[in-house]
């Protein structure tokens, strides 16, 4: 019997397709912390982040064929699922709740930064530096969209800028980040 | 949505920063645009890197997920792809060892069903039009299209009491569709599960739900020599826990 800890992510997903709970547990062990960490960061709520994490892994269990290894890593796939669900949750909250989250996130963000454990410190460091290296206007729109769950239309309204400008800044900022990460040798961001 | 318009929004989409209607339009475009798909995949990896930090997992979270695996009984019954390079993993968790039938017995049951049934009817021209009409009437356009596609194979599953208990159409690329079903609705907590016999072993193709009407699946790798259906607890089973209620051989 092959050691499950040595199985590739793609092999694990194949086994999940055959109802292997052991394979799902291994995927959870490898990537659960990242899925939960991102949801918690976006939602600023442990309880809601747990709900999102459950949804992400149940979805992987029920629809493993949605993961296409030729299109990216399993972690990227799971993080995209986690982020989408976290953003959905934020957008379903009423305005009062959304304001509370925004206010709370200002104090919780630093606590997160102090407490979080980077899955790979060198990559986390590279990403942080790539983000910091962006022009302020590009970094700001990406942070508001990704970590605060705003659409580009909302970001434009909040910053009182044209939608086209915000779209362009998100696009140029993401491309700039990708180039920096590629230059730094971070795997999985090449086109 | 036009290519330029979609391309311009890919970065925002990778951050989930578009409206729902825009997302649908972009994703529809991306499906048929390799350039946009490649760009979006790369942007999603950058977004993944951006959010890639690990936090300690709360105690009990895995237990919650594990317990919900078997409770899930959605209206949608996606069909997991059939494994091609299956690794030897211990799939039998204690909770799943509730089978009343051993693996060997299950295989024997499949074989017995083949012997008993022997009634595999492949598609013939005389009933082809009727099948197409049935499919179009039930809005299963994909199944109807498959019935007209070159190289398709129709598999009739019969039980000990009824011919044509269920009928599937398989395409050469591995896609398959439920064409017709006479399977009765199951009681709560149960689901029909479709199996393919490959190298003498029943391999799960997917769940069909408690009252199958529209089922789509993909079989990759070896083509099964037989399709069979069992009744399983909601959430499905890794190996058949009950005898096949209907089966039919797959003939080229």
């Amino acid at each position: 019997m092959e050691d499950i800890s040595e199985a590739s992510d793609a092999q694990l997903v194949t086994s999940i397709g055959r109802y292997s709970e052991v394979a799902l547990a291994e995927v959870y062990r490898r990537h659960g912390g990242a899925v939960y960490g991102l949801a918690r960061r976006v939602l600023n709520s442990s309880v809601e982040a747990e709900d999102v994490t459950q949804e992400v892994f149940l979805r992987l269990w029920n629809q493993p064929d949605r993961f296409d290894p030729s299109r990216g890593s399993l972690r990227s796939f799971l993080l995209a699922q986690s982020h989408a669900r976290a953003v959905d949750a934020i957008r379903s909250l009423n305005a009062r709740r959304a304001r509370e989250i925004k206010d709370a996130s200002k104090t919780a963000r630093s606590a997160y930064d102090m407490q979080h454990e980077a899955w790979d410190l060198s990559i986390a460091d590279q990403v942080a530096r790539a983000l910091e290296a962006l022009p302020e206007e590009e970094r700001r729109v990406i942070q508001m969209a990704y970590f605060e769950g705003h659409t580009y239309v909302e970001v434009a309204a909040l910053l009182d800028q044209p939608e086209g400008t915000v779209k362009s800044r998100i696009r140029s900022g993401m491309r700039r980040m990708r180039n920096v990460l590629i230059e730094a040798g971070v795997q999985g961001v090449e086109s | 949505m036009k290519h330029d318009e979609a391309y311009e929004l890919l970065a925002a989409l990778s951050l989930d920063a578009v409206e729902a209607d825009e997302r649908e339009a972009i994703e529809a475009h991306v499906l048929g645009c390799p350039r946009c798909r490649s760009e979006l995949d790369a942007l999603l990896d950058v977004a993944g890197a951006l959010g890639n930090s690990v936090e300690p997992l709360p105690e009990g979270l895995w237990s919650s997920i594990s317990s919900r695996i078997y409770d899930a009984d959605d209206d949608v019954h996606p069909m997991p792809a059939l494994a091609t390079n299956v690794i030897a993993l211990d799939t039998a968790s204690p909770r799943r060892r509730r089978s009343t039938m051993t693996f060997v017995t299950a295989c024997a049951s499949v074989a017995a069903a083949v012997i008993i049934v022997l009634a595999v009817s492949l598609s013939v021209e005389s009933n082809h039009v009727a099948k197409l009409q049935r499919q179009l009437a039930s809005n299963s356009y994909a199944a109807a299209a498959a019935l007209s596609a070159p190289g398709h194979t129709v598999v009739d599953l019969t039980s000990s009491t009824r011919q044509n208990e269920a009928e599937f159409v398989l395409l050469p690329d591995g896609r398959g569709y439920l064409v017709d079903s006479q399977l009765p609705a199951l009681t709560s907590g149960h689901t029909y599960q479709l199996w393919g016999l490959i190298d003498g072993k029943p391999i799960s193709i997917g769940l069909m739900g408690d009252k199958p009407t529209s089922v789509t699946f993909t079989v990759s790798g070896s083509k099964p020599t037989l399709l069979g259906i069992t009744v399983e607890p909601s959430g499905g089973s890794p190996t058949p826990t009950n005898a096949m209620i209907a089966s039919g051989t797959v003939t080229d």
Side-chain angles (χ1 to χ4, degrees), chain B residues 147-179:
Chain B
L147 285 168
S148 297
H152 74 271
T153 303
V154 175
V155 185
D156 283 330
L157 274 63
T158 55
S159 66
S160 56
T161 58
R162 196 201 317 254
Q163 298 286 323
N164 302 323
E165 194 76 74
E167 186 176 83
F168 292 88
V169 58
L170 299 178
L171 292 177
D173 65 2
R175 283 177 295 157
Y177 304 91
L178 176 66
V179 177

PDB file of all heavy atoms in Angstrom, chain B residues 147-179:
ATOM      1  N   LEU B 147     -27.157  10.716 -28.221  1.00  0.00           N
ATOM      2  CA  LEU B 147     -27.785   9.625 -28.967  1.00  0.00           C
ATOM      3  C   LEU B 147     -27.611   9.791 -30.479  1.00  0.00           C
ATOM      4  O   LEU B 147     -27.776   8.838 -31.231  1.00  0.00           O
ATOM      5  CB  LEU B 147     -29.279   9.549 -28.625  1.00  0.00           C
ATOM      6  CG  LEU B 147     -29.609   8.945 -27.249  1.00  0.00           C
ATOM      7  CD1 LEU B 147     -31.064   9.191 -26.893  1.00  0.00           C
ATOM      8  CD2 LEU B 147     -29.298   7.456 -27.220  1.00  0.00           C
ATOM      9  N   SER B 148     -27.325  10.996 -30.889  1.00  0.00           N
ATOM     10  CA  SER B 148     -27.102  11.240 -32.309  1.00  0.00           C
ATOM     11  C   SER B 148     -25.628  11.304 -32.669  1.00  0.00           C
ATOM     12  O   SER B 148     -25.272  11.442 -33.838  1.00  0.00           O
ATOM     13  CB  SER B 148     -27.757  12.574 -32.715  1.00  0.00           C
ATOM     14  OG  SER B 148     -29.142  12.498 -32.540  1.00  0.00           O
ATOM     15  N   ALA B 149     -24.771  11.273 -31.654  1.00  0.00           N
ATOM     16  CA  ALA B 149     -23.336  11.412 -31.910  1.00  0.00           C
ATOM     17  C   ALA B 149     -22.757  10.124 -32.484  1.00  0.00           C
ATOM     18  O   ALA B 149     -23.197   9.028 -32.118  1.00  0.00           O
ATOM     19  CB  ALA B 149     -22.609  11.764 -30.616  1.00  0.00           C
ATOM     20  N   PRO B 150     -21.770  10.262 -33.362  1.00  0.00           N
ATOM     21  CA  PRO B 150     -21.148   9.057 -33.914  1.00  0.00           C
ATOM     22  C   PRO B 150     -20.398   8.272 -32.842  1.00  0.00           C
ATOM     23  O   PRO B 150     -19.783   8.863 -31.963  1.00  0.00           O
ATOM     24  CB  PRO B 150     -20.175   9.614 -34.965  1.00  0.00           C
ATOM     25  CG  PRO B 150     -19.965  11.041 -34.588  1.00  0.00           C
ATOM     26  CD  PRO B 150     -21.205  11.500 -33.919  1.00  0.00           C
ATOM     27  N   GLY B 151     -20.502   6.967 -32.927  1.00  0.00           N
ATOM     28  CA  GLY B 151     -19.746   6.112 -32.015  1.00  0.00           C
ATOM     29  C   GLY B 151     -20.368   5.919 -30.656  1.00  0.00           C
ATOM     30  O   GLY B 151     -19.736   5.337 -29.769  1.00  0.00           O
ATOM     31  N   HIS B 152     -21.589   6.400 -30.466  1.00  0.00           N
ATOM     32  CA  HIS B 152     -22.202   6.259 -29.141  1.00  0.00           C
ATOM     33  C   HIS B 152     -22.620   4.800 -28.895  1.00  0.00           C
ATOM     34  O   HIS B 152     -22.829   4.029 -29.835  1.00  0.00           O
ATOM     35  CB  HIS B 152     -23.408   7.184 -28.996  1.00  0.00           C
ATOM     36  CG  HIS B 152     -24.617   6.731 -29.753  1.00  0.00           C
ATOM     37  ND1 HIS B 152     -24.857   7.097 -31.051  1.00  0.00           N
ATOM     38  CD2 HIS B 152     -25.651   5.937 -29.384  1.00  0.00           C
ATOM     39  CE1 HIS B 152     -25.985   6.553 -31.462  1.00  0.00           C
ATOM     40  NE2 HIS B 152     -26.483   5.848 -30.467  1.00  0.00           N
ATOM     41  N   THR B 153     -22.707   4.471 -27.629  1.00  0.00           N
ATOM     42  CA  THR B 153     -23.148   3.138 -27.239  1.00  0.00           C
ATOM     43  C   THR B 153     -24.301   3.275 -26.252  1.00  0.00           C
ATOM     44  O   THR B 153     -24.209   4.037 -25.290  1.00  0.00           O
ATOM     45  CB  THR B 153     -22.004   2.364 -26.533  1.00  0.00           C
ATOM     46  OG1 THR B 153     -20.889   2.302 -27.411  1.00  0.00           O
ATOM     47  CG2 THR B 153     -22.439   0.956 -26.170  1.00  0.00           C
ATOM     48  N   VAL B 154     -25.343   2.566 -26.490  1.00  0.00           N
ATOM     49  CA  VAL B 154     -26.479   2.583 -25.575  1.00  0.00           C
ATOM     50  C   VAL B 154     -26.426   1.322 -24.710  1.00  0.00           C
ATOM     51  O   VAL B 154     -26.187   0.233 -25.209  1.00  0.00           O
ATOM     52  CB  VAL B 154     -27.814   2.642 -26.342  1.00  0.00           C
ATOM     53  CG1 VAL B 154     -28.998   2.535 -25.379  1.00  0.00           C
ATOM     54  CG2 VAL B 154     -27.898   3.942 -27.132  1.00  0.00           C
ATOM     55  N   VAL B 155     -26.584   1.516 -23.420  1.00  0.00           N
ATOM     56  CA  VAL B 155     -26.550   0.383 -22.499  1.00  0.00           C
ATOM     57  C   VAL B 155     -27.878   0.319 -21.758  1.00  0.00           C
ATOM     58  O   VAL B 155     -28.253   1.272 -21.066  1.00  0.00           O
ATOM     59  CB  VAL B 155     -25.403   0.521 -21.479  1.00  0.00           C
ATOM     60  CG1 VAL B 155     -25.314  -0.725 -20.611  1.00  0.00           C
ATOM     61  CG2 VAL B 155     -24.084   0.766 -22.188  1.00  0.00           C
ATOM     62  N   ASP B 156     -28.575  -0.775 -21.928  1.00  0.00           N
ATOM     63  CA  ASP B 156     -29.832  -0.983 -21.205  1.00  0.00           C
ATOM     64  C   ASP B 156     -29.552  -1.785 -19.948  1.00  0.00           C
ATOM     65  O   ASP B 156     -28.918  -2.838 -19.999  1.00  0.00           O
ATOM     66  CB  ASP B 156     -30.836  -1.739 -22.075  1.00  0.00           C
ATOM     67  CG  ASP B 156     -31.466  -0.828 -23.101  1.00  0.00           C
ATOM     68  OD1 ASP B 156     -31.594   0.372 -22.821  1.00  0.00           O
ATOM     69  OD2 ASP B 156     -31.828  -1.318 -24.181  1.00  0.00           O
ATOM     70  N   LEU B 157     -30.024  -1.280 -18.835  1.00  0.00           N
ATOM     71  CA  LEU B 157     -29.868  -2.004 -17.579  1.00  0.00           C
ATOM     72  C   LEU B 157     -31.202  -2.654 -17.234  1.00  0.00           C
ATOM     73  O   LEU B 157     -32.236  -1.969 -17.174  1.00  0.00           O
ATOM     74  CB  LEU B 157     -29.437  -1.061 -16.450  1.00  0.00           C
ATOM     75  CG  LEU B 157     -27.925  -0.812 -16.328  1.00  0.00           C
ATOM     76  CD1 LEU B 157     -27.374  -0.141 -17.566  1.00  0.00           C
ATOM     77  CD2 LEU B 157     -27.614   0.018 -15.100  1.00  0.00           C
ATOM     78  N   THR B 158     -31.181  -3.927 -17.021  1.00  0.00           N
ATOM     79  CA  THR B 158     -32.406  -4.650 -16.714  1.00  0.00           C
ATOM     80  C   THR B 158     -32.304  -5.293 -15.339  1.00  0.00           C
ATOM     81  O   THR B 158     -31.222  -5.600 -14.851  1.00  0.00           O
ATOM     82  CB  THR B 158     -32.666  -5.746 -17.755  1.00  0.00           C
ATOM     83  OG1 THR B 158     -31.533  -6.588 -17.828  1.00  0.00           O
ATOM     84  CG2 THR B 158     -32.925  -5.147 -19.109  1.00  0.00           C
ATOM     85  N   SER B 159     -33.442  -5.462 -14.722  1.00  0.00           N
ATOM     86  CA  SER B 159     -33.501  -6.109 -13.420  1.00  0.00           C
ATOM     87  C   SER B 159     -34.171  -7.466 -13.590  1.00  0.00           C
ATOM     88  O   SER B 159     -34.542  -7.851 -14.705  1.00  0.00           O
ATOM     89  CB  SER B 159     -34.303  -5.252 -12.440  1.00  0.00           C
ATOM     90  OG  SER B 159     -35.659  -5.190 -12.845  1.00  0.00           O
ATOM     91  N   SER B 160     -34.352  -8.155 -12.489  1.00  0.00           N
ATOM     92  CA  SER B 160     -34.998  -9.467 -12.569  1.00  0.00           C
ATOM     93  C   SER B 160     -36.474  -9.337 -12.900  1.00  0.00           C
ATOM     94  O   SER B 160     -37.115 -10.293 -13.327  1.00  0.00           O
ATOM     95  CB  SER B 160     -34.827 -10.214 -11.245  1.00  0.00           C
ATOM     96  OG  SER B 160     -35.338  -9.418 -10.184  1.00  0.00           O
ATOM     97  N   THR B 161     -37.025  -8.133 -12.722  1.00  0.00           N
ATOM     98  CA  THR B 161     -38.460  -7.968 -12.948  1.00  0.00           C
ATOM     99  C   THR B 161     -38.798  -7.083 -14.132  1.00  0.00           C
ATOM    100  O   THR B 161     -39.917  -7.067 -14.586  1.00  0.00           O
ATOM    101  CB  THR B 161     -39.134  -7.373 -11.708  1.00  0.00           C
ATOM    102  OG1 THR B 161     -38.502  -6.114 -11.426  1.00  0.00           O
ATOM    103  CG2 THR B 161     -38.994  -8.299 -10.505  1.00  0.00           C
ATOM    104  N   ARG B 162     -37.852  -6.311 -14.599  1.00  0.00           N
ATOM    105  CA  ARG B 162     -38.207  -5.360 -15.636  1.00  0.00           C
ATOM    106  C   ARG B 162     -37.091  -5.183 -16.660  1.00  0.00           C
ATOM    107  O   ARG B 162     -35.927  -5.047 -16.301  1.00  0.00           O
ATOM    108  CB  ARG B 162     -38.508  -3.995 -14.992  1.00  0.00           C
ATOM    109  CG  ARG B 162     -39.238  -3.061 -15.926  1.00  0.00           C
ATOM    110  CD  ARG B 162     -39.100  -1.595 -15.538  1.00  0.00           C
ATOM    111  NE  ARG B 162     -39.233  -1.288 -14.153  1.00  0.00           N
ATOM    112  CZ  ARG B 162     -40.308  -0.700 -13.588  1.00  0.00           C
ATOM    113  NH1 ARG B 162     -41.341  -0.394 -14.337  1.00  0.00           N
ATOM    114  NH2 ARG B 162     -40.305  -0.409 -12.311  1.00  0.00           N
ATOM    115  N   GLN B 163     -37.473  -5.196 -17.918  1.00  0.00           N
ATOM    116  CA  GLN B 163     -36.545  -4.800 -18.969  1.00  0.00           C
ATOM    117  C   GLN B 163     -36.439  -3.268 -18.944  1.00  0.00           C
ATOM    118  O   GLN B 163     -37.339  -2.583 -18.500  1.00  0.00           O
ATOM    119  CB  GLN B 163     -37.080  -5.236 -20.335  1.00  0.00           C
ATOM    120  CG  GLN B 163     -37.234  -6.736 -20.497  1.00  0.00           C
ATOM    121  CD  GLN B 163     -35.882  -7.420 -20.660  1.00  0.00           C
ATOM    122  OE1 GLN B 163     -35.006  -6.875 -21.291  1.00  0.00           O
ATOM    123  NE2 GLN B 163     -35.746  -8.596 -20.076  1.00  0.00           N
ATOM    124  N   ASN B 164     -35.342  -2.758 -19.402  1.00  0.00           N
ATOM    125  CA  ASN B 164     -35.174  -1.303 -19.490  1.00  0.00           C
ATOM    126  C   ASN B 164     -35.428  -0.576 -18.174  1.00  0.00           C
ATOM    127  O   ASN B 164     -36.185   0.384 -18.109  1.00  0.00           O
ATOM    128  CB  ASN B 164     -36.093  -0.727 -20.579  1.00  0.00           C
ATOM    129  CG  ASN B 164     -35.817  -1.359 -21.914  1.00  0.00           C
ATOM    130  OD1 ASN B 164     -34.669  -1.636 -22.235  1.00  0.00           O
ATOM    131  ND2 ASN B 164     -36.870  -1.609 -22.668  1.00  0.00           N
ATOM    132  N   GLU B 165     -34.812  -1.078 -17.115  1.00  0.00           N
ATOM    133  CA  GLU B 165     -34.934  -0.401 -15.815  1.00  0.00           C
ATOM    134  C   GLU B 165     -34.302   0.988 -15.905  1.00  0.00           C
ATOM    135  O   GLU B 165     -34.811   1.950 -15.353  1.00  0.00           O
ATOM    136  CB  GLU B 165     -34.228  -1.227 -14.744  1.00  0.00           C
ATOM    137  CG  GLU B 165     -34.539  -0.845 -13.324  1.00  0.00           C
ATOM    138  CD  GLU B 165     -35.904  -1.319 -12.861  1.00  0.00           C
ATOM    139  OE1 GLU B 165     -36.091  -2.528 -12.603  1.00  0.00           O
ATOM    140  OE2 GLU B 165     -36.803  -0.468 -12.761  1.00  0.00           O
ATOM    141  N   ALA B 166     -33.208   1.026 -16.609  1.00  0.00           N
ATOM    142  CA  ALA B 166     -32.544   2.316 -16.864  1.00  0.00           C
ATOM    143  C   ALA B 166     -31.733   2.180 -18.144  1.00  0.00           C
ATOM    144  O   ALA B 166     -31.305   1.092 -18.502  1.00  0.00           O
ATOM    145  CB  ALA B 166     -31.633   2.705 -15.708  1.00  0.00           C
ATOM    146  N   GLU B 167     -31.545   3.301 -18.802  1.00  0.00           N
ATOM    147  CA  GLU B 167     -30.822   3.269 -20.067  1.00  0.00           C
ATOM    148  C   GLU B 167     -29.815   4.414 -20.101  1.00  0.00           C
ATOM    149  O   GLU B 167     -30.145   5.548 -19.765  1.00  0.00           O
ATOM    150  CB  GLU B 167     -31.810   3.425 -21.220  1.00  0.00           C
ATOM    151  CG  GLU B 167     -31.185   3.262 -22.586  1.00  0.00           C
ATOM    152  CD  GLU B 167     -32.256   3.327 -23.671  1.00  0.00           C
ATOM    153  OE1 GLU B 167     -32.610   4.460 -24.054  1.00  0.00           O
ATOM    154  OE2 GLU B 167     -32.733   2.278 -24.102  1.00  0.00           O
ATOM    155  N   PHE B 168     -28.593   4.086 -20.464  1.00  0.00           N
ATOM    156  CA  PHE B 168     -27.535   5.090 -20.531  1.00  0.00           C
ATOM    157  C   PHE B 168     -26.978   5.147 -21.949  1.00  0.00           C
ATOM    158  O   PHE B 168     -27.055   4.164 -22.699  1.00  0.00           O
ATOM    159  CB  PHE B 168     -26.383   4.738 -19.588  1.00  0.00           C
ATOM    160  CG  PHE B 168     -26.748   4.820 -18.130  1.00  0.00           C
ATOM    161  CD1 PHE B 168     -27.296   3.720 -17.479  1.00  0.00           C
ATOM    162  CD2 PHE B 168     -26.555   5.982 -17.417  1.00  0.00           C
ATOM    163  CE1 PHE B 168     -27.638   3.790 -16.142  1.00  0.00           C
ATOM    164  CE2 PHE B 168     -26.899   6.064 -16.077  1.00  0.00           C
ATOM    165  CZ  PHE B 168     -27.444   4.969 -15.437  1.00  0.00           C
ATOM    166  N   VAL B 169     -26.420   6.288 -22.286  1.00  0.00           N
ATOM    167  CA  VAL B 169     -25.690   6.394 -23.546  1.00  0.00           C
ATOM    168  C   VAL B 169     -24.259   6.818 -23.214  1.00  0.00           C
ATOM    169  O   VAL B 169     -24.042   7.719 -22.394  1.00  0.00           O
ATOM    170  CB  VAL B 169     -26.357   7.390 -24.535  1.00  0.00           C
ATOM    171  CG1 VAL B 169     -26.488   8.781 -23.926  1.00  0.00           C
ATOM    172  CG2 VAL B 169     -25.557   7.466 -25.840  1.00  0.00           C
ATOM    173  N   LEU B 170     -23.304   6.118 -23.777  1.00  0.00           N
ATOM    174  CA  LEU B 170     -21.883   6.421 -23.565  1.00  0.00           C
ATOM    175  C   LEU B 170     -21.284   6.939 -24.863  1.00  0.00           C
ATOM    176  O   LEU B 170     -21.567   6.404 -25.938  1.00  0.00           O
ATOM    177  CB  LEU B 170     -21.116   5.167 -23.136  1.00  0.00           C
ATOM    178  CG  LEU B 170     -21.537   4.485 -21.840  1.00  0.00           C
ATOM    179  CD1 LEU B 170     -20.703   3.226 -21.611  1.00  0.00           C
ATOM    180  CD2 LEU B 170     -21.373   5.431 -20.667  1.00  0.00           C
ATOM    181  N   LEU B 171     -20.447   7.958 -24.754  1.00  0.00           N
ATOM    182  CA  LEU B 171     -19.751   8.491 -25.921  1.00  0.00           C
ATOM    183  C   LEU B 171     -18.309   7.995 -25.926  1.00  0.00           C
ATOM    184  O   LEU B 171     -17.765   7.649 -24.876  1.00  0.00           O
ATOM    185  CB  LEU B 171     -19.783  10.021 -25.891  1.00  0.00           C
ATOM    186  CG  LEU B 171     -21.165  10.644 -26.090  1.00  0.00           C
ATOM    187  CD1 LEU B 171     -21.084  12.158 -25.960  1.00  0.00           C
ATOM    188  CD2 LEU B 171     -21.744  10.257 -27.437  1.00  0.00           C
ATOM    189  N   PRO B 172     -17.673   7.978 -27.080  1.00  0.00           N
ATOM    190  CA  PRO B 172     -16.288   7.486 -27.153  1.00  0.00           C
ATOM    191  C   PRO B 172     -15.322   8.246 -26.242  1.00  0.00           C
ATOM    192  O   PRO B 172     -14.327   7.700 -25.794  1.00  0.00           O
ATOM    193  CB  PRO B 172     -15.911   7.686 -28.625  1.00  0.00           C
ATOM    194  CG  PRO B 172     -17.209   7.683 -29.345  1.00  0.00           C
ATOM    195  CD  PRO B 172     -18.200   8.304 -28.413  1.00  0.00           C
ATOM    196  N   ASP B 173     -15.612   9.534 -25.940  1.00  0.00           N
ATOM    197  CA  ASP B 173     -14.694  10.306 -25.093  1.00  0.00           C
ATOM    198  C   ASP B 173     -14.923  10.085 -23.605  1.00  0.00           C
ATOM    199  O   ASP B 173     -14.278  10.719 -22.768  1.00  0.00           O
ATOM    200  CB  ASP B 173     -14.800  11.796 -25.412  1.00  0.00           C
ATOM    201  CG  ASP B 173     -16.167  12.383 -25.080  1.00  0.00           C
ATOM    202  OD1 ASP B 173     -17.020  11.644 -24.560  1.00  0.00           O
ATOM    203  OD2 ASP B 173     -16.373  13.581 -25.330  1.00  0.00           O
ATOM    204  N   GLY B 174     -15.837   9.179 -23.267  1.00  0.00           N
ATOM    205  CA  GLY B 174     -16.043   8.839 -21.860  1.00  0.00           C
ATOM    206  C   GLY B 174     -17.260   9.484 -21.219  1.00  0.00           C
ATOM    207  O   GLY B 174     -17.660   9.105 -20.125  1.00  0.00           O
ATOM    208  N   ARG B 175     -17.836  10.492 -21.885  1.00  0.00           N
ATOM    209  CA  ARG B 175     -19.033  11.101 -21.307  1.00  0.00           C
ATOM    210  C   ARG B 175     -20.211  10.133 -21.391  1.00  0.00           C
ATOM    211  O   ARG B 175     -20.311   9.339 -22.326  1.00  0.00           O
ATOM    212  CB  ARG B 175     -19.379  12.396 -22.038  1.00  0.00           C
ATOM    213  CG  ARG B 175     -18.503  13.577 -21.667  1.00  0.00           C
ATOM    214  CD  ARG B 175     -18.868  14.791 -22.482  1.00  0.00           C
ATOM    215  NE  ARG B 175     -18.578  14.582 -23.890  1.00  0.00           N
ATOM    216  CZ  ARG B 175     -19.163  15.254 -24.874  1.00  0.00           C
ATOM    217  NH1 ARG B 175     -20.081  16.167 -24.599  1.00  0.00           N
ATOM    218  NH2 ARG B 175     -18.831  15.009 -26.124  1.00  0.00           N
ATOM    219  N   GLY B 176     -21.064  10.230 -20.403  1.00  0.00           N
ATOM    220  CA  GLY B 176     -22.227   9.362 -20.385  1.00  0.00           C
ATOM    221  C   GLY B 176     -23.444  10.096 -19.833  1.00  0.00           C
ATOM    222  O   GLY B 176     -23.307  11.056 -19.065  1.00  0.00           O
ATOM    223  N   TYR B 177     -24.618   9.652 -20.239  1.00  0.00           N
ATOM    224  CA  TYR B 177     -25.849  10.314 -19.818  1.00  0.00           C
ATOM    225  C   TYR B 177     -26.926   9.263 -19.545  1.00  0.00           C
ATOM    226  O   TYR B 177     -26.983   8.233 -20.214  1.00  0.00           O
ATOM    227  CB  TYR B 177     -26.364  11.267 -20.904  1.00  0.00           C
ATOM    228  CG  TYR B 177     -25.362  12.300 -21.339  1.00  0.00           C
ATOM    229  CD1 TYR B 177     -24.493  12.038 -22.406  1.00  0.00           C
ATOM    230  CD2 TYR B 177     -25.260  13.520 -20.679  1.00  0.00           C
ATOM    231  CE1 TYR B 177     -23.558  12.979 -22.802  1.00  0.00           C
ATOM    232  CE2 TYR B 177     -24.321  14.466 -21.072  1.00  0.00           C
ATOM    233  CZ  TYR B 177     -23.478  14.197 -22.140  1.00  0.00           C
ATOM    234  OH  TYR B 177     -22.558  15.123 -22.529  1.00  0.00           O
ATOM    235  N   LEU B 178     -27.756   9.580 -18.579  1.00  0.00           N
ATOM    236  CA  LEU B 178     -28.936   8.761 -18.364  1.00  0.00           C
ATOM    237  C   LEU B 178     -29.968   9.135 -19.423  1.00  0.00           C
ATOM    238  O   LEU B 178     -30.318  10.307 -19.570  1.00  0.00           O
ATOM    239  CB  LEU B 178     -29.513   9.022 -16.961  1.00  0.00           C
ATOM    240  CG  LEU B 178     -30.807   8.299 -16.624  1.00  0.00           C
ATOM    241  CD1 LEU B 178     -30.598   6.784 -16.566  1.00  0.00           C
ATOM    242  CD2 LEU B 178     -31.366   8.802 -15.290  1.00  0.00           C
ATOM    243  N   VAL B 179     -30.406   8.155 -20.162  1.00  0.00           N
ATOM    244  CA  VAL B 179     -31.381   8.408 -21.223  1.00  0.00           C
ATOM    245  C   VAL B 179     -32.798   8.240 -20.692  1.00  0.00           C
ATOM    246  O   VAL B 179     -33.686   9.050 -20.949  1.00  0.00           O
ATOM    247  CB  VAL B 179     -31.160   7.437 -22.405  1.00  0.00           C
ATOM    248  CG1 VAL B 179     -32.223   7.639 -23.480  1.00  0.00           C
ATOM    249  CG2 VAL B 179     -29.773   7.641 -22.996  1.00  0.00           C
TER     250      VAL B 179
END
